[in-house]
């Protein structure tokens, strides 16, 4: 396994047919995922299209993440947790200033996706809503009030995604103390080139 | 008032300080709004950031629509309906093919935003989640199942938005029969240059 240190991120190519296993090694830690197609990095993950096509907010095993051009990008082939968010953008320096009174220097998933994805030509403005793995975001059905729960993953819980096209994928170990039950922890991941889906 | 014919769209500049009044003239009709800043058309409306900063899914009077760079773009200064969606992308040719069995020729909000916004230099891939005015999208708080209600607006109901920066705004009279209680109807709008907010 590869380890993403707390409050950092990585990006890498993921070939069509390969599977990506993402593990919460400690429990209660979120991992933001954003991806673009290698054929055209302007074609990006779209939370809105994915929610629309799944007809639900919480995607899990068998569900598909779509691009802004309605291309299937990733299929969830295994999921120990079943609670991930698709509505929110990655935490950003501006978010920490606005909501937490930070001075603009707090580490963020946005910067931890933007910087490693930039070397593949991904422009900052194209990083929109991420797939916020192991993040429990609920909304009151009537009022719409957001309810943010502690990340429900336990130590060793995993999600496995299969690439449906050649991708560049960015992953983070989420930088927000509030989101991650008070302490930012690492995330583990491994790529299986056409290997077993849930190993 | 200006009228947007059923299943069509428009785009226009909206100056900082101007207000935009959008009216449902018949009742039960959705209007998708997307906007970008005139200073840099890559800076676009962000549903994810707007939901995060509002701490809720349903924005109404006093709430702000933010950009992908966390800039306030539009403030809702009047709202007769109080139910609008920020999670979904505009209906698109691909959506009608995937979910409705269409042949790819159905009119769509995506095309009705894309084409008029293109003359301002807006690229198609930057049109992400729209502000889907008068659209009743709810999610079961536990399962996340999407519940699409008939648009709750009655004839004459309005929303008024004030521009916080110079914008290009796209508006549609939504093209989806299913979303609009079985029949696609017009939308009316008017721009007040620094005029009264709710007249």
């Amino acid at each position: 396994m590869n380890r993403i240190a707390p409050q950092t991120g990585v990006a890498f190519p993921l070939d069509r047919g390969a599977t990506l296993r993402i593990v919460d090694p400690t429990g209660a830690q979120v991992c933001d995922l954003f991806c673009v197609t290698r054929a055209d990095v302007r074609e990006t993950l779209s939370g809105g299209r994915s929610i629309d096509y799944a007809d639900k907010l919480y995607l899990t095993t068998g569900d598909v993440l779509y691009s802004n051009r309605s291309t299937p990008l990733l299929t969830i082939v295994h999921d120990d947790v079943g609670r991930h968010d698709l509505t929110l953008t990655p935490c950003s320096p501006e978010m920490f200033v606005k909501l937490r009174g930070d001075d603009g220097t707090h580490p963020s998933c946005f910067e931890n996706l933007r910087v490693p994805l930039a070397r593949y030509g991904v422009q900052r403005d194209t990083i929109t809503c991420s797939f916020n793995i192991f993040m429990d975001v609920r909304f009151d059905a009537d009022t719409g009030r957001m309810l943010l729960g502690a990340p429900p993953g336990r130590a060793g819980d995993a999600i496995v995604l299969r690439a449906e096209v050649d991708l560049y994928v960015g992953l983070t170990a989420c930088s927000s103390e509030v989101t991650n039950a008070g302490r930012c922890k690492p995330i583990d991941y491994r790529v299986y080139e056409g290997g077993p889906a849930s190993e």
Side-chain angles (χ1 to χ4, degrees), chain A:
Chain A
M1 299 291 274
N2 306 287
R3 176 149 291 192
I4 305 172
Q7 299 185 309
T8 70
V10 297
F12 48 86
L14 187 70
D15 292 345
R16 177 181 177 174
T19 55
L20 169 62
R21 182 177 178 87
I22 298 166
V23 178
D24 177 353
T26 62
Q29 176 61 38
V30 169
C31 166
D32 282 10
L33 178 153
F34 190 73
C35 62
V36 306
T37 70
R38 295 220 293 270
D40 185 342
V41 297
R42 296 172 303 182
E43 183 171 7
T44 68
L45 175 66
S46 170
R49 297 231 170 271
S50 301
I51 291 168
D52 200 9
Y53 293 146
D55 204 29
K56 60 185 176 182
L57 213 48
Y58 306 128
L59 276 62
T60 186
T61 306
D63 292 322
V64 174
L65 294 168
Y66 285 88
S67 79
N68 52 356
R69 299 181 194 171
S70 296
T71 306
L73 300 183
L74 290 162
T75 300
I76 304 173
V77 295
H78 177 88
D79 183 7
D80 288 324
V81 175
R83 183 54 56 101
H84 319 286
D85 171 67
L86 266 173
T87 58
L88 299 181
T89 37
C91 61
S92 67
E94 296 82 5
M95 185 281 277
F96 285 105
V97 170
K98 268 185 203 290
L99 300 185
R100 310 277 163 78
D102 186 67
D103 63 1
T105 60
H106 194 287
S108 70
C109 287
F110 184 81
E111 287 299 303
N112 289 334
L113 293 167
R114 181 186 71 77
V115 172
L117 284 169
R119 73 168 181 270
Y120 300 120
V122 176
Q123 298 293 305
R124 61 174 294 137
D125 286 318
T126 70
I127 301 174
T128 53
C129 290
S130 37
F131 184 46
N132 303 311
I133 293 169
F134 310 136
M135 185 174 186
D136 184 15
V137 178
R138 299 176 195 226
F139 297 97
D140 183 282
D142 290 319
T143 67
R145 177 63 53 192
M146 196 190 315
L147 308 163
L148 181 62
R154 295 156 306 171
D157 278 350
I159 186 171
V160 182
L161 303 128
R162 183 182 65 229
E164 302 300 345
V165 293
D166 289 341
L167 296 170
Y168 295 120
V169 174
L171 295 180
T172 70
C174 176
S175 296
S176 167
E177 291 82 0
V178 170
T179 302
N180 293 289
R183 192 168 60 89
C184 296
K185 303 168 291 294
I187 283 288
D188 291 345
Y189 72 98
R190 184 168 168 186
V191 172
Y192 297 83
E193 296 295 341
S198 57
E199 283 303 297

